[in-house]
Amino acid sequence: MGVRLALALVLAPVLAGVVSPSLAQQRGAGTLGPPPTPVIAAEVTQEAWSDPLESLGTLSANESVTLSATVTDTVSALNFEGGEEVSQGDVLVELSDIEERAALREAQALRTERQNAVNRFAQLESRNLAPRADVEDSRAQLQQVDATIAGLEAMLENYRVKAPFDGVVGVRDISVGTLVTPGTELTTLDDVSHMKLDFDVPEVQLGSLSRGLTLTATTAAYPDRVFEGEIATIDSRIDPISRSISVRALLDNEERLLRPGMLMRVTIARSPRQALVIPESALVPEGQRQRVWVLTTREPTSTEAGEVVRRDIEVGSRREGDVEVVKGLEAGELVVTHGNDRLHEASRITLIGIEDETTSVSDILLEQRQGDDT
């Protein structure tokens, strides 16, 4: 029944011996009836609840590209070392372009010559000293040179490998002077501001998935960190062999802790809702029924005994140490979590403590012992 129930079994003998001095005096004085039973209780709380679905996924960058050359030439300059962040448009690799720049200067000189010819023919035409056809021919030749210059400038862009988006460059495996050809891998570039987490879910769970559904993910690299995200894409097809569907989630990575290729354990929060929650150790199973002992007095003291009633409840899903209550309890009520194995309908109890997120059973017992000693 979980860690809390196991703890209850261990602590039962301890709780049996926790009787305040005043109660012992009452028993010694001949007070009728058994002494109140010391118990520990917990409050019925309303919490955010969901039905978890677990899977394993692999991380990939939000955007990822392998940069390569589109021309054949040698590397003249490298403007990165690897691992640093770069901005869109930054020149990462420069290739030798001496011949192409010489051709561009030649074309620019030719353009100047053609532009002068156009100006001369235009002046002669304005004086009726040259036919209009000569002017049009000179302008066409000028346009031809302009097209040649534009082509050379576009070609020169191929000798500058730029970052297509903001990201982190990979390890540098080339050096200045390396001869590269079209398709040669120069480096990688990853946008890791957000990460894509791809995982598979059984087709039977498809009905519980939707875009925007929140999830958490953990990785062995950071065992104490929990990363949050939400489902961004659900594949349009189910794998006929594995009978599973691919799901992609987006995780924020502002701290740049996550890297492409990491394995992550995914927990999807299905059917998020507000639910009444009690510790699992409060349950007293009887056949198919689930029962709890509810305190009728809010906070009975060691000198004033309280009473409890047994109540049937309906439970929903469970998570480690806690259980969802669907029916039978209200928020704020107190249920017995330790000492409930010794209760019956006529039992009177004394509450020695209320366990919660800040107060453990060990703290309660230690405080009780210190109080008895004093």
Side-chain angles (χ1 to χ4, degrees):
M1 292 296 294
V3 176
R4 293 178 179 271
L5 185 56
L7 183 59
L9 296 176
V10 173
L11 293 176
V14 178
L15 290 172
V18 179
V19 181
S20 64
S22 59
L23 292 175
Q25 292 171 2
Q26 293 176 10
R27 182 170 55 182
T31 303
L32 295 178
T37 302
V39 298
I40 296 176
E43 185 174 341
V44 181
T45 58
Q46 190 167 29
E47 303 177 10
W49 192 271
S50 62
D51 300 325
L53 174 63
E54 296 187 348
S55 182
L56 292 177
T58 302
L59 282 176
S60 60
N62 183 45
E63 299 291 346
S64 182
V65 66
T66 298
L67 301 177
S68 60
T70 57
V71 296
T72 299
D73 223 307
T74 57
V75 176
S76 61
L78 292 170
N79 301 323
F80 71 97
E81 289 298 326
E84 67 265 34
E85 294 191 10
V86 297
S87 301
Q88 181 180 6
D90 287 352
V91 177
L92 303 179
V93 181
E94 299 179 33
L95 302 180
S96 178
D97 56 1
I98 298 176
E99 295 181 2
E100 287 70 21
R101 290 198 175 276
L104 177 61
R105 289 194 294 271
E106 180 182 357
Q108 289 171 338
L110 181 59
R111 185 189 188 283
T112 301
E113 179 183 340
R114 295 289 171 82
Q115 182 65 60
N116 292 335
V118 169
N119 295 339
R120 287 194 303 271
F121 280 115
Q123 291 176 359
L124 292 174
E125 182 191 17
S126 64
R127 300 174 186 176
N128 294 323
L129 298 178
R132 184 174 180 81
D134 290 344
V135 178
E136 293 177 350
D137 288 345
S138 63
R139 287 175 176 169
Q141 292 174 356
L142 177 61
Q143 292 175 350
Q144 182 180 10
V145 174
D146 285 339
T148 300
I149 292 175
L152 289 171
E153 289 176 343
M155 183 179 296
L156 283 171
E157 286 297 313
N158 294 330
Y159 290 77
R160 301 287 183 272
V161 180
K162 300 179 180 180
F165 48 81
D166 297 348
V168 179
V169 291
V171 177
R172 179 169 68 86
D173 290 328
I174 59 174
S175 302
V176 174
T178 301
L179 177 65
V180 298
T181 58
T184 300
E185 179 178 334
L186 303 178
T187 187
T188 59
L189 180 66
D190 296 311
D191 174 14
V192 293
S193 59
H194 292 80
M195 302 297 291
K196 297 174 182 176
L197 179 58
D198 296 321
F199 55 93
D200 293 332
V201 173
E203 66 169 319
V204 295
Q205 304 294 344
L206 180 59
S208 62
L209 300 179
S210 62
R211 294 183 60 181
L213 200 62
T214 59
L215 56 83
T216 57
T218 58
T219 176
Y222 307 103
D224 298 328
R225 294 291 301 269
V226 177
F227 300 89
E228 298 181 352
E230 62 179 32
I231 294 178
T233 307
I234 301 175
D235 200 357
S236 59
R237 297 182 179 182
I238 293 176
D239 189 326
I241 298 177
S242 64
R243 293 301 174 186
S244 61
I245 188 168
S246 297
V247 179
R248 171 169 291 176
L250 292 181
L251 304 181
D252 186 59
N253 192 30
E254 289 185 359
E255 299 181 56
R256 303 297 192 268
L257 298 177
L258 302 177
R259 301 293 179 89
M262 273 186 170
L263 178 68
M264 302 200 78
R265 181 175 297 277
V266 186
T267 303
I268 304 173
R270 298 177 299 165
S271 304
R273 58 193 181 275
Q274 290 293 318
L276 296 179
V277 181
I278 62 173
E280 195 174 22
S281 58
L283 296 179
V284 181
E286 294 185 9
Q288 298 298 321
R289 297 179 178 180
Q290 293 289 351
R291 294 178 170 178
V292 294
W293 289 100
V294 183
L295 277 71
T296 58
T297 306
R298 175 64 187 180
E299 293 186 9
T301 64
S302 58
T303 58
E304 182 180 350
E307 296 180 352
V308 291
V309 294
R310 185 168 54 184
R311 190 180 301 175
D312 290 343
I313 65 171
E314 182 179 341
V315 301
S317 60
R318 307 189 186 203
R319 62 190 182 195
E320 185 177 359
D322 294 326
V323 61
E324 176 190 17
V325 178
V326 178
K327 184 179 179 181
L329 291 174
E330 295 182 0
E333 291 187 298
L334 291 177
V335 294
V336 177
T337 58
H338 297 84
N340 48 12
D341 57 326
R342 295 181 291 111
L343 298 178
H344 50 81
E345 290 293 349
S347 292
R348 295 183 305 144
I349 58 97
T350 177
L351 182 64
I352 65 173
I354 300 176
E355 62 170 313
D356 53 30
E357 294 181 355
T358 60
T359 306
S360 66
V361 176
S362 300
D363 296 333
I364 295 172
L365 293 177
L366 178 60
E367 182 179 354
Q368 178 69 24
R369 290 195 185 98
Q370 291 175 345
D372 291 343
D373 292 341
T374 56

